[in-house]
Amino acid sequence: MSNICNSVERILIIGLGSIGKRHARIIKELFPEIKIIALRHKIFDSSDADSLGLYDCVDSIEKAMLLNPDAAIVANPSSLRLNIMKSLANAGVHILAEKPISATTDGIQDLINLCSAKGVVLMTGYNLRFLPSLIKFREKIQTGKVGKILSFQVEVSQNLLDWRPNIDYKKTVSSQKKLGGGVLLELSHEIDYINWIFGKIKWVKSHVSRQSDLEIDVEDHANIIFGFKNQDDYETIGHLNMNFYQYDPSRNCKVVGDKGTLLWDGLSGEIKFYGRTEKKWKTVFSSSPTRDFTYTSEIQNFLTAINSNEEPLVSGNDGLLTLQVINAIHQSSEQEKIIYL
């Protein structure tokens, strides 16, 4: 695999929480020749450095830049990233920003422009796009499996108490507005893949709220209707329900067309089809890769984009678009009206 990373000798990982450690472990397994530098503002556990095989550990971006990284994975809280990413881009360091790319749209277009001017790859870490079942689901929709799309329903849920069982949920990024928490940002994979599969969103109508007794200062529930303008001058209507309090996790998308219904279960990796003529459900695809698979594919795509000077699968513009949709969702809920994008 060294041929896809021959222009990257040192990778900086910013933020060494669970996702930062996962990236470090995968890079070390795939590309043992790459030197991994970690930037963490908390007291560093030397056992982490040993177990992850880190080349060096620093506590500031200034110290990190002295070590001349070629690329960086930015996995600290999304509300704290913008200035760090600008420093990286100015120094010509390629960037993979964990999702969401930031907590707000402020400054992101400037960052995208800066990366373009500096020849820096800017990738957003929506790793679900590398999931085989979601790729196949999109392919079947776009090749007309359900025919004309009439509507779709998306659901995603995960109880905060069970999400990170060894950590006090009140101290996590998900629970805190100042760190970029809330169900819309933390579960924004769904908004990204809705854009990816169904095209440009025309309008949103939403209700965003805190429904549970969780001790958080962010929304734990969002109910959203999307409108899409299609080439044939009709509107496809989509619905997304997301929450932080449901005890049984879910991640699924059902697309209803004039030829039948296609159902994707993101947890099982199954796609089922209910045909207009067959009138029964049939499994048409099944894939259950390891949890590391999508992150491995994401890192490989990032390094390939750097080496070939090409756009990654999920760009900075994709990350910005998701934030713009989230802004519209909040605005719709606050103003109790449809917001056009």
Side-chain angles (χ1 to χ4, degrees), residues 157-201:
S157 62
Q158 173 74 62
N159 192 289
L160 273 186
L161 297 173
D162 302 325
W163 195 346
R164 303 176 182 97
N166 299 321
I167 304 174
D168 182 355
Y169 78 89
K170 296 186 289 295
K171 297 180 180 179
T172 64
V173 168
S174 305
S175 304
Q176 302 178 65
K177 185 175 182 178
K178 67 180 181 181
L179 297 180
V183 74
L184 283 164
L185 287 171
E186 282 289 88
L187 299 180
S188 57
H189 283 288
E190 269 56 32
I191 297 170
D192 173 69
Y193 85 64
I194 285 171
N195 278 315
W196 185 49
I197 293 175
F198 300 104
K200 190 174 181 180
I201 297 168

Side-chain angles (χ1 to χ4, degrees), residues 70-238:
D70 302 297
I73 296 176
V74 185
N76 61 329
S78 60
S79 61
L80 308 177
R81 294 180 184 171
L82 182 60
N83 289 335
I84 288 175
M85 291 192 290
K86 285 184 175 179
S87 295
L88 293 168
N90 271 312
V93 179
H94 303 287
I95 302 167
L96 166 54
E98 259 303 319
K99 65 84 195 164
I101 193 169
S102 185
T104 71
T105 57
D106 294 345
I108 300 303
Q109 186 61 62
D110 290 339
L111 173 67
I112 291 169
N113 295 343
L114 176 61
C115 288
S116 178
K118 294 286 187 177
V120 166
V121 170
L122 176 59
M123 183 175 186
T124 309
Y126 284 112
N127 62 298
L128 272 192
R129 291 221 206 166
F130 297 92
L131 191 65
S133 59
L134 188 61
I135 293 170
K136 181 61 70 172
F137 183 69
R138 178 177 184 260
E139 177 187 304
K140 287 185 176 297
I141 291 168
Q142 296 192 337
T143 55
K145 181 70 173 178
V146 299
K148 177 181 176 180
I149 298 172
L150 305 176
S151 65
F152 67 83
Q153 298 89 43
V154 176
E155 181 184 60
V156 60
S157 62
Q158 173 74 62
N159 192 289
L160 273 186
L161 297 173
D162 302 325
W163 195 346
R164 303 176 182 97
N166 299 321
I167 304 174
D168 182 355
Y169 78 89
K170 296 186 289 295
K171 297 180 180 179
T172 64
V173 168
S174 305
S175 304
Q176 302 178 65
K177 185 175 182 178
K178 67 180 181 181
L179 297 180
V183 74
L184 283 164
L185 287 171
E186 282 289 88
L187 299 180
S188 57
H189 283 288
E190 269 56 32
I191 297 170
D192 173 69
Y193 85 64
I194 285 171
N195 278 315
W196 185 49
I197 293 175
F198 300 104
K200 190 174 181 180
I201 297 168
K202 181 182 177 184
W203 56 263
V204 300
K205 179 70 173 72
S206 64
H207 179 76
V208 177
S209 59
R210 186 163 69 88
Q211 297 290 103
S212 72
D213 294 328
L214 290 167
E215 296 179 46
I216 59 179
D217 66 354
V218 290
E219 81 281 350
D220 62 9
H221 178 262
N223 197 14
I224 308 145
I225 301 172
F226 300 96
F228 297 80
K229 187 65 172 291
N230 294 280
Q231 291 180 347
D232 297 333
D233 206 33
Y234 73 97
E235 266 190 347
T236 297
I237 303 300

